[in-house]
Amino acid sequence: MSNAACYRAAGYRVDEGPTCDAAASRLFSSAKVRERIDELRAPVVKKSRITVESLLAELGATVQAAREAKQFGAVNGALTLVGKLTGLLRDRLEVGSVGEFDGCKSNAEVIDKMIQDEGSARAVLDQLDHMRALVEERAASAALDVSPAQEWPTMAERRGRLRA
């Protein structure tokens, strides 16, 4: 359900369109509203964690059995599911509520929606800067050190040694 639909379902009266979306966005960004939403979601989140953990345990057993049976296709499939469940592999990354950007047909429409939801272009840019920093941090921690273990002589230095 979109923020605007939630706003109307809560009993607020406002015309459809940008006014309704803006009012819903303001209400949704309220700290008290966010706390209440998190409070209501807590049991669902806890229940889903248990489900994910049990699935991961089951997939672990499946991987072990498939390895022992040398069924590497099954190993690959199970490991792909583990990656998806843990968030390491994503077919599609959504920002915002599920389906929130489904109506967007272009990057410009996505940008307009983000600005509308956040209230300003500056707020969107700040979020993107923060996300960029997180991505760079994660990439840096996963990067391989490819610096040479020792300094190698240049071609000219090697030729000089051969002549001497």
Side-chain angles (χ1 to χ4, degrees), residues 78-89:
L79 291 175
T80 299
L81 285 174
V82 168
K84 288 180 180 181
L85 280 172
T86 57
L88 296 173
L89 293 176

Side-chain angles (χ1 to χ4, degrees), residues 119-133:
S120 72
R122 180 77 258 156
V124 173
L125 289 172
D126 289 343
Q127 283 188 344
L128 291 173
D129 288 341
H130 179 70
M131 287 177 64
R132 180 182 183 87

Side-chain angles (χ1 to χ4, degrees), residues 101 103-116:
F101 295 101
C104 298
K105 304 285 187 224
S106 68
N107 289 341
E109 289 179 6
V110 171
I111 292 167
D112 291 343
K113 176 79 172 135
M114 290 173 69
I115 291 170
Q116 178 184 357

Side-chain angles (χ1 to χ4, degrees), residues 33-154:
V33 171
R34 297 294 312 153
E35 286 174 16
R36 181 64 177 146
I37 290 170
D38 291 343
E39 181 182 314
L40 292 171
R41 285 183 178 166
V44 174
V45 169
K46 185 176 181 181
K47 187 176 180 180
S48 68
R49 278 193 192 136
I50 293 168
T51 303
V52 170
E53 288 172 2
S54 64
L55 286 173
L56 290 173
E58 191 70 32
L59 284 168
T62 301
V63 167
Q64 183 63 31
R67 280 187 178 143
E68 290 170 3
K70 298 188 186 237
Q71 296 178 350
F72 300 112
V75 171
N76 186 35
L79 291 175
T80 299
L81 285 174
V82 168
K84 288 180 180 181
L85 280 172
T86 57
L88 296 173
L89 293 176
R90 294 188 181 130
D91 292 329
R92 177 177 167 186
L93 175 64
E94 289 208 26
V95 179
S97 302
V98 175
E100 191 171 343
F101 295 101
D102 283 350
C104 298
K105 304 285 187 224
S106 68
N107 289 341
E109 289 179 6
V110 171
I111 292 167
D112 291 343
K113 176 79 172 135
M114 290 173 69
I115 291 170
Q116 178 184 357
D117 287 352
E118 294 304 315
S120 72
R122 180 77 258 156
V124 173
L125 289 172
D126 289 343
Q127 283 188 344
L128 291 173
D129 288 341
H130 179 70
M131 287 177 64
R132 180 182 183 87
L134 292 174
V135 169
E136 287 174 346
E137 181 180 309
R138 180 154 310 158
S141 68
L144 298 175
D145 182 12
V146 294
S147 58
Q150 68 182 34
E151 288 293 320
W152 293 94
T154 65

